Amino acid sequence: MTERVSPQVLREGLRVLGVAIRTEPLTFGLSVAASALYGGMTVASAWVLGRVVERVILPAFASGEPGRGALAAGAAAIVAVAVLKALGVAGRRFWAGLMQYNLQARYRREVTRQYLRLPLAWHQKHPTGQLLSNASSDVEAAWAPIAPLPMAVGVVFMLFFAAVSILAIDLPLAVVGFLLFPMIALLNLAYQRVLSPKVARAQQLRAEVSEVAHESFEGGLVVKTLGREAAETERFQAAAERLRDANITVGRVRGLFDPVLESLPRFGVLAVLLFGSVRLDAGAINAGDLVQVCYLFTLLSWPVRSLGWVLAELPRSVVGWNRVRAVLDARGAMPYGEESLDSPRAAALEAKELTFGYGDATVLKGAGLSVAPGRTVALVGATGSGKSTLASLLVRLVDPEEGVVRLDGVDVRELAPGEVARAAALVPQDTFLFDDTVRGNIALEGDLPDADIWAALRLAQADGFVAGLPDGLDTRLGERGATLSGGQRQRLALARALARGPRLLVLDDATSSVDPQVEARILGGLRDTEASVVVVAYRKATIALADEVVHLVRGRVADRGAHAELLARSPAYRNLVNAYENAEAEHAEEALQADGIDADGIDEDVKA
Amino acid sequence: MTVLNETALREGAFATLRRGLAITPEFRRGIALTIVLALVATAGRVVTPVAVQQTIDHGLPLAGSPDLAYIRSAVLICAAAIVVTALCAYLMNVRLYRSTETSLASLRVKAFRHVHDLSMLTQSGQRKGGLVSRVTGDVDQISQFMQWGGLMFLISAGEIVVVTALMAVYSWQLTLVVWIAFVPLALALRHFQRLISRAYMTVRERMGDLLAAVSESVIGAPVIKAYAAERRTAERVDRAVERGRVAQKRAQGLVALTFPTSEIVAAMATAAVVAGGVLLGVGGDISAGELVAFLFLVTLFVSPMQQATEILNEAQNAIAGWRRVLGVLDTDPDVADPGPKGHTLPRGPVGVAFEDVAFAYPSGPRVLEGVTVEIPPQARIAVVGETGSGKTTFAKLLTRLMDPVEGAVRVDGVPLHRVRFASLRERIVIVPQDGFLFDTTLGENIRYGRPGASDAEIVAALGELGLGDWLEGLPRGLETPVGQRGESLSAGERQLVALARAYLADPDLLVLDEATSAVDPATEVRIQRALDGVTRGRTSVAIAHRLSTAEAADEILVFDKGRIVQRGHHSALVGTPGVYADLHTSWRNASTGRGGPQSGKSGPN
């Protein structure tokens, strides 16, 4: 466990605090000023009380005369100091909080901006859960020490004022104080040193409990259908018990240190009484001074611990900050050129010698294809042959390691930002819908007239069910469009692509959840659009739509040409696309042979 | 039932607390001693004022020199008292942490198990994140209250009682003065606390919106980039971030105003005590030391008051946490395991009968109606129909993921709801369309179907399914990590894993719900052929997306609008005009390219 207050963590932690102060100088300045006011007034309140005891209470008890003027002045002083102190507390709390929230907001925005800026290749290398926690809990952790920071700075002022005020009273008494407060501070340091790795561990185990629960509930159907409830409960119980033990360990440390830290100032007061009475006897101080110092000790014991709170948050803060920094410092934002595409007609696409891999697995090994304007090319290949990867390279979601993609003859890397998206639309295999209205999901940033949206919906065969939604185009779809069926989601995603009148349309198995009849209607409609089309497909009807077929085998183009040509010359291709017909033929043959033997028997069974 | 039982939301706070404590026996055990220790520890706080009073009254006579010997012994006694109370505080802390953590760990586990016992409909009616927080964050809130808020409440209450008692010993008049100052404050704080807790509720909601906005920018990255929708997403995130910040600022402002008011009230009480005390003291009703002790005692009122709003907030959160956890535990699993009383079916080929079965989702129309069918042991059945015709509902009733609203489903003659889950899940396994994978290796995911299966058995199973080549093509074989939810594999590969997992479980009835819809045709046909082999001797029901599956089946059930409209062998159905013939024609055209859209577009070049 590295989350310990080592000198290095302390150094890094202070640097993080420095960043915070430089970013939010105004709120920091205001909160520290308020905190200093609070610190000064805390010491002043003890001084006022000492003077009230010395000049009002004791003389009154000695003389039997209330001394109304002094009494009123004393009471007024007590209230006045308290009002100033309260103002200090309020200001400190408000601006410290504001500083923390401003920082959180700023870095949440920056992290998300960076997500939007970084290319998909970077996203693919980082788990979703990690990216989400970078923007939420890591940002929070990074700025966690900000809330107690002004208080801690104020306490430094407070200790300074206290030291001065006690020194002004009596040196030997001051020594008691100078022994006591460093002792509290040191003990607090020791406390945080022991505690913070244990807290960090508990924190980590808490995250694990949450992960196990999340995964287990998400896979609830699998757990249920395979009857694994008990095994899953055991897995969760093991995590919950590890967390329990870690929390109990934290509790034991807290349980030990808290009473000791609370008792120390009480012992301090007793020491002051003991030594103070001797000094009183010697005539060095008066009773009011003694009360003042005792009161100061009771007031200071709590704030002094705030130094420890900042320290306690530092390791977490450093870890959070480093994670946030890693996102903000990530390089490899996609470089863009300045070229633009102005042709209003269907796009020409050329992809050459593309190589691409995820980690150590190379998915594309020199694949390429070309689409003449207005033509349709089908990408055909077995599961895992690299079709989706190729599709994502064509619209420059990722850049190839080697090779080039050209749109209208221009390398897509030379195009200005947004140019590829303006010319080409990809409909991915996994549909993603925003938590927005139907209109918002289709128009996205553009301001499309309703007529265009309806035209796109009609083309995608989605107009029927959208018209049936309670608020039509303005129906909110909820989280990831959870209210719709898979086929409906796919049709909306298709409409989203069609609504922008793309000059190149890339369909990555985009109608797999749509019924064949509906798919046929969609594909029929597509023929009338002014676009070049690349379509990843299994269904022969879709393939038959294409002018050319590119057959991918393990990341390489095995063959290309018209469907009929490939059927004629490539046994692998034949085997792939004719699989159903072959199977059908075999079944028919088997059925023929079996007819006489047992088909009647089965019929009887079934009808019984 | 698709919603959780939320009756707990409507009951009183004390009723919730009582029921909550009733289900955590580990917490109640020994709690009396812990409370006694807490009260003794509280007494430690008044040691300082008493020592000051004793010193001033007995050690420092107004005239003459201090009685140092008296002071010394008083200080020693007080020191001893502080040690004892600190020790009590330590023991109390340790006991409290152990009892709360132990009881809450078992509460977590209890709630977790209960979530899995809830029916599929109830589970899918809930957002997964919401269910997770019921076994994590909600329980944490309870534990925070038990360990800090609840304890603080005890200590604060104890402190106020002890301090008041001590004050009353010194002077009842001044005690009254202090109470007159603090009671209105306590009432005002109650009001402030309501405002603050509402403000924090808004903060939490805004943070939820914020997370949702951020998660779109992460999960939707491919679409955002493909459509250059960065600006729109960034604006949405900015809006959510700013709304969150404003809510936080407002809540912080309320807290900043509320927190120091007790300082001012305490100062006014102190001033009043000084004035009243001097007047009383002149009359001889109170000593100087007692009056000074009073000034120290007033400060002890401040921290309970300052913490009161936080304690109340925590109490409210804890009650809300209890209610959400109880909401899970109160929800009856409407598809319940009959348990040990239920039937255990012997292994062997299984037959199923549907008798006039109807199903409707809660407050929805019937999606299945009058379904009567017998599936003999070892039969291979295909279920076909358009989207929404009731195929998947049929599969879910068959595997008892749901219970019919009318009619009965029998397995080997036994009503399905009387069969023990342990037996049912062993004999009947469904492969859903979207096979969820756990974030571990490929091998472990397949082993999920039969814990304890060896790697060799897994490899053999993949081989029997005709997936040996696929496995060999993976650089790390069974050790391939699949990523969260299996994201590192393609949709088709995830289906292959789910299929292998179910096959390894070795069921007597295998139900396939479009289990190979994302797999390429050649692989699908190969799997189909392999399944024909390995399911021989078992019963199988396949919901077919591609009708090639249907052609090999012993019998096809054709669903249309929630009813079985045709049944029989492919060879008989395909020639009869009807739903099946239509479906088949359209599928055939799509998959063979015959009669579909005209091939080729006339390009402009």
Side-chain angles (χ1 to χ4, degrees):
Chain A
M1 184 95 13
T2 54
E3 303 193 15
R4 182 180 279 277
V5 191
S6 66
Q8 196 207 340
V9 166
L10 190 66
R11 230 179 3 256
E12 283 185 46
L14 292 179
R15 210 168 23 239
V16 178
L17 294 182
V19 170
I21 293 168
R22 274 198 304 281
T23 316
E24 283 285 322
L26 183 66
T27 46
F28 179 71
L30 286 169
S31 63
V32 164
S35 189
L37 177 66
Y38 150 74
M41 287 306 117
T42 302
V43 175
S45 67
W47 182 83
V48 166
L49 201 77
R51 298 293 75 71
V52 166
V53 169
E54 180 195 337
R55 307 225 178 113
V56 181
I57 296 180
L58 293 180
F61 276 77
S63 66
E65 281 297 319
R68 288 175 199 281
L71 196 57
I78 289 174
V79 174
V81 167
V83 168
L84 288 176
K85 183 179 170 187
L87 282 178
V89 172
R92 183 199 77 211
R93 284 214 141 199
F94 179 71
W95 282 307
L98 193 58
M99 179 180 179
Q100 187 185 21
Y101 301 142
N102 285 349
L103 283 165
Q104 283 178 4
R106 181 194 182 96
Y107 278 88
R108 286 202 168 115
R109 276 196 297 265
E110 284 193 14
V111 166
T112 325
R113 280 284 188 298
Q114 184 74 346
Y115 289 161
L116 295 174
R117 199 155 38 225
L118 288 167
L120 200 63
W122 184 87
H123 279 261
Q124 285 163 346
K125 287 189 199 105
H126 296 82
T128 308
Q130 187 192 322
L131 297 186
L132 287 181
S133 77
N134 284 154
S136 56
S137 52
D138 288 334
V139 167
E140 220 164 88
W143 306 122
I146 298 307
L149 178 67
M151 168 91 168
V153 177
V155 164
V156 174
F157 282 102
M158 192 189 289
L159 286 177
F160 174 74
F161 295 137
V164 171
S165 77
I166 305 180
L167 267 176
I169 293 168
D170 187 44
L171 186 63
L173 265 190
V175 171
V176 175
F178 292 157
L179 282 178
L180 178 70
F181 288 105
M183 208 198 291
I184 294 181
L186 280 179
L187 196 65
N188 221 334
L189 285 182
Y191 181 18
Q192 302 307 343
R193 260 193 96 101
V194 176
L195 189 64
S196 64
K198 295 186 164 49
V199 169
R201 180 170 158 71
Q203 199 59 35
Q204 192 193 331
L205 290 172
R206 183 166 292 123
E208 267 171 38
V209 165
S210 171
E211 274 163 31
V212 171
H214 212 282
E215 189 181 53
S216 190
F217 292 168
E218 257 196 291
L221 194 58
V222 174
V223 173
K224 203 178 267 304
T225 52
L226 290 171
R228 293 293 301 272
E229 291 93 339
E232 283 296 298
T233 306
E234 261 173 49
R235 185 160 83 101
F236 181 77
Q237 184 166 10
E241 285 177 356
R242 277 196 299 276
L243 172 62
R244 176 198 66 194
D245 294 342
N247 277 341
I248 291 177
T249 312
V250 167
R252 206 169 285 137
V253 174
R254 287 215 170 114
L256 180 65
F257 275 92
D258 278 341
V260 174
L261 281 167
E262 253 180 80
S263 302
L264 268 183
R266 290 180 194 148
F267 284 120
V269 171
L270 294 181
V272 167
L273 288 176
L274 207 57
F275 289 107
S277 52
V278 175
R279 298 296 292 160
L280 195 72
D281 194 24
I285 60 169
N286 64 40
D289 296 332
L290 189 61
V291 171
Q292 180 189 339
V293 177
C294 288
Y295 197 72
L296 196 56
F297 275 29
T298 47
L299 290 185
L300 284 185
S301 60
W302 180 250
V304 165
R305 295 178 61 180
S306 68
L307 293 171
W309 302 335
V310 175
L311 206 68
E313 298 288 0
L314 278 190
R316 211 157 72 86
S317 160
V318 169
V319 172
W321 174 247
N322 287 340
R323 290 193 189 141
V324 170
R325 257 325 343 152
V327 173
L328 296 183
D329 291 343
R331 300 272 152 209
M334 243 180 201
Y336 290 97
E338 285 167 1
E339 301 279 327
S340 61
L341 299 172
D342 298 319
S343 162
R345 303 191 340 188
L349 173 75
E350 191 188 17
K352 267 181 153 171
E353 303 285 310
L354 298 178
T355 302
F356 187 84
Y358 303 96
D360 51 0
T362 309
V363 178
L364 291 180
K365 301 159 189 163
L369 57 83
S370 63
V371 187
R375 310 284 277 181
T376 298
V377 169
L379 262 180
V380 179
T383 304
S385 59
K387 304 182 296 293
S388 293
T389 304
L390 182 54
S392 67
L393 284 164
L394 295 180
V395 296
R396 208 189 173 207
L397 278 184
V398 285
D399 279 333
E401 288 154 17
E402 280 166 40
V404 62
V405 177
R406 291 201 185 90
L407 261 179
D408 288 345
V410 184
D411 185 338
V412 288
R413 285 168 294 201
E414 301 297 324
L415 290 171
E419 277 299 301
V420 176
R422 209 162 58 85
L426 166 79
V427 185
Q429 197 173 16
D430 295 324
T431 314
F432 178 85
L433 294 180
F434 295 92
D435 178 9
D436 199 343
T437 58
V438 174
R439 186 200 312 278
N441 264 292
I442 290 174
L444 294 179
E445 290 190 358
D447 201 8
L448 292 177
D450 278 12
D452 289 10
I453 294 178
W454 280 114
L457 287 170
R458 251 191 313 278
L459 207 50
Q461 300 290 317
D463 52 331
F465 83 85
V466 170
L469 290 174
D471 296 316
L473 287 183
D474 293 312
T475 310
R476 285 199 81 86
L477 296 177
E479 219 180 0
R480 320 252 180 285
T483 45
L484 303 177
S485 79
Q488 290 173 328
R489 285 204 298 269
Q490 280 195 335
R491 281 180 270 167
L492 281 189
L494 195 61
R496 175 193 288 159
L498 295 171
R500 17 198 54 70
R503 304 196 293 116
L504 170 66
L505 186 61
V506 181
L507 304 175
D508 182 6
D509 201 12
T511 47
S512 58
S513 302
V514 177
D515 285 330
Q517 302 93 312
V518 179
E519 190 194 32
R521 284 202 291 273
I522 292 174
L523 295 175
L526 279 188
R527 278 180 302 148
D528 304 328
T529 60
E530 180 68 21
S532 311
V533 180
V534 176
V535 55
V536 174
Y538 291 136
R539 290 177 184 160
K540 259 191 171 174
T542 323
I543 299 170
L545 186 84
D547 303 292
E548 191 188 33
V549 175
V550 172
H551 181 205
L552 270 187
V553 175
R554 298 200 174 186
R556 289 197 177 85
V557 175
D559 204 350
R560 68 179 74 197
H563 175 60
E565 290 169 32
L566 260 59
L567 274 182
R569 69 173 174 241
S570 163
Y573 182 77
R574 232 175 6 244
N575 186 28
L576 184 68
V577 299
N578 281 345
Y580 295 133
E581 283 165 302
N582 296 345
E584 195 183 351
E586 276 176 40
H587 287 312
E589 213 165 287
E590 278 168 28
L592 226 75
Q593 289 170 356
D595 244 359
I597 307 164
D598 63 7
D600 294 345
I602 288 172
D603 274 0
E604 266 173 25
D605 262 355
V606 166
K607 281 165 192 158
Chain B
M1 192 181 305
T2 54
V3 292
L4 295 178
N5 181 340
E6 304 285 18
T7 47
L9 288 182
R10 289 188 297 277
E11 71 188 1
F14 283 103
T16 301
L17 208 57
R18 203 165 40 241
R19 287 208 299 138
L21 291 176
I23 53 170
T24 46
E26 299 93 334
F27 178 70
R28 283 174 299 150
R29 210 170 295 138
I31 190 67
L33 181 54
T34 308
I35 291 176
V36 170
L37 286 170
L39 291 178
V40 175
T42 306
R45 302 195 169 192
V46 297
V47 169
T48 312
V50 170
V52 172
Q53 180 260 329
Q54 288 293 321
T55 306
I56 291 179
D57 279 351
H58 298 281
L60 308 174
L62 293 175
S65 60
D67 181 352
L68 294 179
Y70 183 87
I71 292 176
R72 208 173 298 131
S73 49
V75 163
L76 270 181
I77 290 170
C78 288
I82 291 173
V83 170
V84 169
T85 53
L87 199 64
C88 286
Y90 168 70
L91 289 176
M92 179 238 3
N93 281 337
V94 169
R95 289 174 64 90
L96 192 68
Y97 273 99
R98 180 171 307 127
S99 65
T100 50
E101 288 302 332
T102 310
S103 62
L104 293 177
S106 72
L107 182 65
R108 262 188 235 280
V109 173
K110 212 181 286 177
F112 176 89
R113 173 64 205 231
H114 201 84
V115 168
H116 274 307
D117 285 341
L118 294 174
S119 71
M120 187 207 68
L121 271 185
T122 314
Q123 283 181 7
S124 58
Q126 299 293 316
R127 281 175 50 222
K128 295 292 177 274
L131 284 176
V132 171
S133 76
R134 287 178 198 244
V135 299
T136 55
D138 289 337
V139 174
D140 288 339
Q141 272 181 341
I142 300 170
S143 106
Q144 207 170 28
F145 174 71
M146 283 179 154
Q147 287 165 7
W148 188 84
L151 180 67
M152 270 304 170
F153 176 76
L154 268 186
I155 289 180
S156 297
E159 193 168 299
I160 287 172
V161 169
V162 171
V163 169
T164 304
L166 190 61
M167 280 178 164
V169 169
Y170 291 150
S171 159
W172 65 267
Q173 296 97 327
L174 291 185
T175 309
L176 211 59
V177 168
V178 173
W179 270 79
I180 286 171
F182 278 104
V183 167
L185 175 66
L187 294 178
L189 286 179
R190 179 95 186 93
H191 173 69
F192 274 118
Q193 183 268 333
R194 279 202 200 103
L195 289 181
I196 291 172
S197 97
R198 219 171 301 150
Y200 274 118
M201 200 137 65
T202 314
V203 169
R204 275 196 295 275
E205 278 168 21
R206 298 269 193 280
M207 289 297 133
D209 295 346
L210 174 91
L211 259 187
V214 171
S215 75
E216 260 188 13
S217 75
V218 172
I219 298 168
V223 169
I224 291 168
K225 286 175 199 306
Y227 291 89
E230 282 91 353
R231 192 170 48 85
R232 173 185 183 279
T233 313
E235 274 167 12
R236 181 156 182 242
V237 170
D238 284 358
R239 219 164 31 240
V241 166
E242 183 57 18
R243 276 162 62 85
R245 194 191 68 94
V246 167
Q248 284 174 320
K249 184 175 161 184
R250 199 187 111 74
Q252 189 69 11
L254 278 173
V255 171
L257 276 183
T258 309
F259 190 76
T261 47
S262 44
E263 294 274 358
I264 297 176
V265 172
M268 293 198 299
T270 307
V273 164
V274 168
V278 166
L279 294 176
L280 284 172
V282 170
D285 285 341
I286 187 171
S287 73
E290 285 168 350
L291 178 54
V292 173
F294 238 98
L295 301 179
F296 280 79
L297 289 171
V298 170
T299 64
L300 289 181
F301 267 89
V302 177
S303 77
M305 292 294 159
Q306 283 182 338
Q307 282 164 357
T309 53
E310 258 170 88
I311 292 170
L312 284 173
N313 267 337
E314 276 203 6
Q316 237 171 26
N317 290 341
I319 297 282
W322 273 122
R323 284 180 179 152
R324 283 190 293 264
V325 176
L326 284 169
V328 168
L329 295 174
D330 286 347
T331 307
D332 289 324
D334 48 351
V335 179
D337 186 356
K341 297 192 303 282
H343 271 267
T344 302
L345 301 167
R347 296 289 312 232
V350 69
V352 183
F354 274 59
E355 292 166 7
D356 203 18
V357 166
F359 184 82
Y361 289 95
S363 68
R366 296 234 159 149
V367 291
L368 219 58
E369 177 100 66
V371 171
T372 300
V373 66
E374 190 152 335
I375 299 171
Q378 304 189 22
R380 282 174 294 164
I381 305 293
V383 177
V384 303
E386 284 198 44
T387 309
S389 60
K391 294 173 298 190
T392 296
T393 307
F394 179 74
K396 285 173 180 166
L397 294 174
L398 180 62
T399 49
R400 206 178 169 224
L401 288 172
M402 310 188 296
D403 280 336
V405 293
E406 247 174 51
V409 181
R410 292 176 192 276
V411 196
D412 291 348
V414 180
L416 203 53
H417 66 267
R418 303 232 342 251
V419 180
R420 296 182 59 177
F421 273 13
S423 174
L424 178 70
R425 301 299 181 214
E426 184 185 52
R427 301 201 66 207
I428 304 181
V429 169
I430 183 170
V431 186
Q433 187 171 11
D434 182 21
F436 179 90
L437 300 191
F438 293 85
D439 184 10
T440 168
T441 62
L442 181 73
E444 283 307 311
N445 267 293
I446 298 175
R447 205 189 316 274
Y448 203 83
R450 180 149 56 92
S454 69
D455 280 4
E457 285 173 295
I458 293 173
V459 173
L462 285 169
E464 283 160 33
L465 288 172
L467 298 173
D469 286 351
W470 171 64
L471 180 66
E472 275 164 32
L474 295 170
R476 297 180 59 186
L478 290 182
E479 295 302 312
T480 307
V482 303
Q484 282 185 0
R485 287 180 289 275
E487 276 166 3
S488 307
L489 301 182
S490 75
E493 288 172 318
R494 285 200 292 272
Q495 290 191 332
L496 300 184
V497 178
L499 185 68
R501 174 166 67 193
Y503 172 61
L504 190 70
D506 192 24
D508 294 319
L509 168 58
L510 186 63
V511 182
L512 304 163
D513 184 4
E514 300 190 6
T516 50
S517 58
V519 173
D520 70 79
T523 307
E524 186 178 35
V525 166
R526 196 161 68 238
I527 291 175
Q528 205 52 57
R529 198 162 299 150
L531 278 175
D532 282 352
V534 296
T535 55
R536 222 167 273 282
R538 307 170 203 248
T539 318
S540 74
V541 174
I543 293 176
H545 180 64
R546 294 171 183 165
L547 296 198
S548 57
T549 315
E551 290 164 11
D554 295 335
E555 189 184 17
I556 300 168
L557 305 177
V558 184
F559 277 75
D560 188 42
K561 300 189 179 74
R563 292 175 179 277
I564 296 179
V565 291
Q566 280 181 301
R567 46 199 285 198
H569 193 263
H570 168 74
S571 53
L573 288 177
V574 75
T576 319
V579 177
Y580 184 78
D582 292 348
L583 280 171
H584 192 263
T585 310
S586 121
W587 176 80
R588 217 179 130 85
N589 290 342
S591 64
T592 61
R594 266 174 258 145
Q598 299 300 302
S599 115
K601 300 197 327 176
S602 48
N605 52 332

